[in-house]
């Protein structure tokens, strides 16, 4: 019955229903959105990001309301494409780069591509959420696992990685081809979360083996993975961004989002100003607005957990703390991120990944 209802939901969504939870556009596409100025003389501020345009749009419009001579052009790309386009197409570099792939962002900043913004950060933000006044964290995102509870049929809901392994073992071939993962070679956020697991989790090797044995499917975007969970094409998705998954679970209660109780990794979406921006004053004002109480409140209202711990609401850090979770382990914003971008380190993780999952096929829409 649930699958039939899911089919009806999907048809309703395809027809343009307003009630669809907002998730990122499939990452194999590039979409550009324009937010017009409110005055005749216009400064064009270009922003490249991996955050779904529907969620960031209220912030853009509010910024323009305060800076009516500003027009914003937002290009939505996946994390690897953001990084590679920035390097490969200097003529297309935006004024602002926004991405949850902290390691890739940090490498660009460390390599000298960022403009310093000397505005003092709000005291409500953590001291370690910025680096050298050049790279700025602005959200607080748990990395989660998502379960279609139709697979349980009497089994307990797994709340830790050990319990997830137990569920996979108990359901065995019922989960063949029914586990979804980011393709870590194509999704920068997927690589960051997985490489951090390799340092933190005692279950890392066993999870990788289990995913390989059960022919886990590889995805390049969150949207397609959540849709597959809804339709029953997947029963488990691992290492998704919590803000998107929690929204999906509120709409479809049999799709349950869990923060692992052994530990929950936390990533920050980060932003920096291109050193060669033609509009440094406007770009700095945008970063200041993004980090302000107003800007952080707008993110919370859109369903994104802001970094500011003073913000309240159902999507705030305060609300997140009240949900079942393990130790929150934020991925540090510092020089240690360069380890994740080291080619030898990457190749080691890729080799382990290929050995276990080499026969899996990346999926996207």
């Amino acid at each position: 019955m649930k699958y039939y209802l899911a089919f009806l939901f999907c048809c309703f969504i395809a027809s343009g229903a307003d009630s669809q939870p907002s998730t990122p556009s499939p990452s194999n596409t590039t979409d550009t959105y324009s937010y017009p100025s409110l005055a005749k003389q216009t400064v064009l501020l270009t922003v490249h990001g991996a955050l779904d345009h529907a969620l960031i749009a209220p912030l853009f419009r509010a910024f323009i309301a305060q800076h009516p001579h500003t027009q914003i052009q937002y290009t939505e790309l996946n994390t690897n494409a953001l990084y590679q386009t920035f390097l490969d197409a200097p003529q297309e570099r935006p004024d602002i780069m926004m991405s949850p792939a902290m390691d890739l962002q940090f490498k660009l900043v460390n390599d000298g591509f960022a403009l310093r913004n000397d505005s003092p950060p709000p005291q409500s933000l953590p001291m370690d959420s910025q680096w050298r006044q050049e790279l700025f964290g602005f959200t607080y995102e748990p990395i989660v696992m998502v379960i279609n509870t139709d697979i349980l049929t009497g089994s307990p809901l797994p709340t830790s990685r050990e319990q997830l392994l137990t569920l996979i073992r108990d359901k065995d071939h019922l989960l063949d081809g029914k586990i979804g993962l980011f393709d870590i070679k194509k999704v920068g956020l997927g690589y960051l979360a997985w490489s951090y697991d390799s340092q933190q989790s005692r279950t890392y090797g066993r999870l990788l083996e289990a995913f390989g044995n059960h022919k886990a499917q590889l995805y390049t975007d969150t949207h397609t993975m959540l849709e597959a969970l809804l339709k029953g094409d997947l029963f488990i998705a691992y290492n998704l961004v919590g803000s998107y998954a929690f929204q999906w679970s509120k709409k479809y209660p049999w799709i349950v989002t869990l923060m692992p109780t052994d530990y929950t990794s936390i990533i920050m979406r980060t932003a920096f100003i291109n050193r060669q921006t033609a509009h440094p004053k406007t770009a700095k004002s945008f970063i200041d607005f993004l980090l302000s109480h107003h800007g952080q409140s707008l993110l919370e209202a859109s369903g994104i957990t802001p970094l500011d711990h003073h913000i309240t609401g159902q999507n705030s850090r305060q609300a997140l703390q009240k949900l079942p979770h393990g130790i929150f382990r934020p991925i540090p914003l510092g020089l240690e991120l360069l380890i994740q971008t080291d080619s030898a380190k990457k190749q080691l993780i890729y080799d382990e990944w290929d050995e276990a999952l080499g026969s899996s096929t990346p999926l996207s829409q």
Side-chain angles (χ1 to χ4, degrees):
M1 181 64 177
K2 288 179 182 177
Y3 295 152
Y4 177 69
L5 289 174
F7 173 76
L8 291 179
F9 273 130
C10 290
C11 292
F12 186 53
I13 288 168
S15 69
D18 291 336
S19 58
Q20 180 190 11
S22 185
T23 53
S25 302
S27 63
N28 60 330
T29 61
T30 299
D31 297 309
T32 298
Y33 305 89
S34 293
Y35 301 86
S37 67
L38 302 177
K40 291 183 179 179
Q41 294 180 342
T42 297
V43 171
L44 176 61
L45 188 73
T46 55
V47 182
H48 286 188
L51 183 55
D52 177 31
H53 75 97
L55 301 182
I56 195 70
L59 185 136
F60 289 154
R61 294 190 180 104
F63 179 77
I64 291 170
Q66 290 190 9
H67 301 79
H69 291 280
T70 302
Q71 174 188 353
I72 294 178
Q73 181 176 290
Y74 178 62
T75 300
E76 188 178 338
L77 298 152
N78 102 332
T79 47
N80 273 16
L82 278 171
Y83 175 78
Q84 209 57 51
T85 299
F86 189 94
L87 290 178
D88 294 346
Q91 70 282 4
E92 297 177 16
R93 287 175 184 165
D95 299 300
I96 304 285
M97 278 277 283
M98 305 168 68
S99 174
M102 297 167 62
D103 51 341
L104 299 181
Q105 290 277 90
F106 191 92
K107 180 166 175 51
L108 290 174
V109 171
N110 189 64
D111 287 347
F113 289 109
L115 179 68
R116 182 180 174 89
N117 181 16
D118 289 319
S119 299
Q123 293 184 353
S124 54
L125 299 184
M127 291 291 294
D128 58 358
S129 65
Q130 61 85 22
W131 191 67
R132 295 194 323 197
Q133 295 294 99
E134 294 177 358
L135 182 62
F136 302 89
F138 64 94
T139 70
Y140 190 84
E141 305 272 9
I143 301 299
V144 301
M145 52 191 190
V146 188
I147 309 291
N148 180 328
T149 55
D150 284 350
I151 191 58
L152 298 180
T153 58
S155 297
L157 186 69
T159 59
S160 68
R161 290 170 178 82
E162 285 285 357
Q163 292 177 11
L164 179 63
L165 281 165
T166 298
L167 177 67
I168 293 172
R169 183 180 65 246
D170 291 348
K171 298 303 178 181
D172 199 14
H173 294 299
L174 290 175
L175 286 172
D176 286 352
K178 299 288 188 177
I179 300 172
L181 309 170
F182 278 126
D183 184 345
I184 67 169
K185 289 186 172 182
K186 296 186 176 182
V187 183
L189 174 61
Y191 170 79
L192 176 64
W194 187 254
S195 63
Y196 194 65
D197 274 351
S198 73
Q199 302 169 29
Q200 302 292 322
S201 177
R202 292 177 296 177
T203 59
Y204 166 78
R206 286 181 290 150
L207 277 172
L208 184 57
E209 181 181 11
F211 294 156
N213 288 341
H214 291 278
K215 302 178 178 62
Q217 302 297 307
L218 305 184
Y219 290 77
T220 57
D221 66 274
T222 300
H223 177 87
T224 311
M225 217 179 318
L226 289 171
E227 287 279 9
L229 281 162
L230 178 64
K231 294 184 290 186
D233 294 338
L234 293 179
F235 287 119
I236 296 169
Y238 185 76
N239 273 2
L240 293 187
V241 176
S243 56
Y244 296 133
F246 279 121
Q247 288 189 52
W248 205 256
S249 294
K250 288 175 183 176
K251 184 65 179 179
Y252 310 111
W254 68 92
I255 308 298
V256 177
T257 298
L258 299 157
M259 294 184 286
T261 54
D262 42 333
Y263 71 90
T264 299
S265 298
I266 302 290
I267 61 102
M268 290 185 291
R269 295 181 186 275
T270 59
F272 72 85
I273 303 168
N274 177 7
R275 185 185 63 190
Q276 296 179 331
T277 176
H279 309 293
K281 183 177 179 180
T282 303
K284 289 178 181 181
S285 295
F286 179 81
I287 294 295
D288 292 343
F289 183 74
L290 178 66
L291 302 179
S292 71
H293 184 87
H294 187 189
Q296 293 279 288
S297 296
L298 289 168
L299 291 175
E300 190 281 328
S302 290
I304 301 296
T305 303
L307 195 57
D308 189 333
H309 60 83
H310 289 167
I311 303 295
T312 59
Q314 62 179 346
N315 302 305
S316 65
R317 288 179 61 177
Q318 295 179 23
L320 198 67
Q321 288 277 0
K322 295 177 182 178
L323 299 176
H325 63 84
I327 300 170
F328 282 153
R329 291 185 178 170
I331 297 178
L333 186 64
L335 287 168
E336 53 264 55
L337 282 170
L338 293 179
I339 297 173
Q340 313 305 326
T341 64
D342 176 74
S343 57
K345 164 76 172 178
K346 271 194 169 182
Q347 193 58 54
L348 177 62
I349 291 178
Y350 286 166
D351 288 346
E352 293 174 336
W353 182 265
D354 287 342
E355 185 176 354
L357 299 166
S359 59
S360 297
T361 302
L363 299 177
S364 64
Q365 288 184 341

